[in-house]
Amino acid sequence: MRILGLMTGTSVDSADFALVDFSRDGDVLHARVKSSGEHPWPEALRGRVLEAVTSASVPSLAELTLLDAHVGEFLAGVVTSVRDDARERGSDAPLDLVVSPGQTLFHNVEGGRTLATLAIGDASRIHAATGIAALSTVRSADIARGGTGAPLAPLLDQLLLGPDGGCAVNIGGIANTTLCTPAAVGPTAPPLVRAGDTGPGNGLIDAAAALRTGTACDTDGARAAAGRVHDTLLSSLLADPYFALPFPKSTGREYFSPAWLDARAREAGIDLDVLSTENLLATLTELTARTLADALKAEVGHEPRTRLHVTGGGAHNPTLMARIEALLPGCTVTTGPLGGLDPDIKEAFLMALIGYYSAHGLPGALIDATGATEPAVLGQLTPPHALRTVPLSTTAPRQLLVEDSRD
């Protein structure tokens, strides 16, 4: 089954894609990555989406409906480009499914409970432009059953980490982690999984860098490395109740926004305008590292001693990585491929994997990781009658073998 996974993350920097051929042999799921890459957002559309994600004001209904349509058209263009490129490379194999979770605008969480989520990117536009079935709205079924709806990465992480377990961390706009502990009932049992969003990843760092320097990010963490942590500001930020919540938990950039930073600073009597750019970025980088480390320590009840595999944009920030290693001295911190999967395509690959599970009637969210009352098959299919010939499965794969066959 050939599936195209799309992901527009909380950083709103690009639409990443991974085209994957899936086949199953008993308990083993084989995944051959055929192509991958990213398509930058049209600058004007990106600006409108970022404003909707980070602004304290609510978009009008007129703007919201247009954003939904325009993001859907942008994603349809990405699908068309990927399909045309595959044909130019001599592949006539049809695309069976596109998985597009859309661009999350708001993840509604109150008192530690996820009430609802809103993602835009009209899947009907994808199908109308390409004729390919599209799976969208992938978080809602888990939320409807009392789950957090995010992160969904544990489905993939447990397969990549294998029976020995470990910890997988992704640092995008928001940071999330999957902690897999080998089950005590035997080596063939699936690992015990706990997961959640630990707090801001690159989101606040990027926003501050854009405001202060006009650049998209603090490249290589250079400015943060030249600064000093403002201890009073950091203490005020760490006092936010979200950080004390246990796993599973989820959040988004609509919560950890520049407005949140301003409010916490005012409560502490701090004028952010008098902080140097370097000191502000050093403090925000420390916040990301500390909240990640504190969440893991709270979850295991002691100093973690495990392998910690980091992916996402944060893995390319040496200042942030150095702080994570210093705060978790018992962990072996690694980056790069895990289980044969290129970390730069992990989130898009995850969407393709969820598509495979949903097409075969398999739950795509781990209830131990989301807190849902029961497993759910994820997503809404456009058109509804697509994929009726795909046989349903009664058991999930126990092993994933990734083969990178990109040119």
Side-chain angles (χ1 to χ4, degrees), residues 186-262:
T188 61
L192 303 175
V193 178
R194 297 286 287 172
D197 292 335
T198 60
N202 304 314
L204 287 175
I205 300 170
D206 291 350
L211 179 64
R212 294 291 188 93
T213 71
T215 58
C217 64
D218 179 17
T219 305
D220 294 330
R223 286 184 177 268
R228 296 182 61 183
V229 173
H230 191 292
D231 291 330
T232 304
L233 176 59
L234 179 63
S235 295
S236 177
L237 300 178
L238 289 172
D240 189 282
Y242 179 82
F243 300 125
L245 295 174
F247 286 170
K249 59 181 178 178
S250 66
T251 187
R253 285 183 66 169
E254 70 285 337
Y255 185 89
F256 289 110
S257 65
W260 173 84
L261 173 61
D262 291 342

Side-chain angles (χ1 to χ4, degrees), residues 88-108:
E88 289 177 5
R89 293 171 180 267
S91 174
D92 292 326
L95 267 172
D96 298 302
L97 180 66
V98 173
V99 183
S100 176
Q103 177 61 53
T104 299
L105 290 190
F106 194 78
H107 202 58
N108 196 329

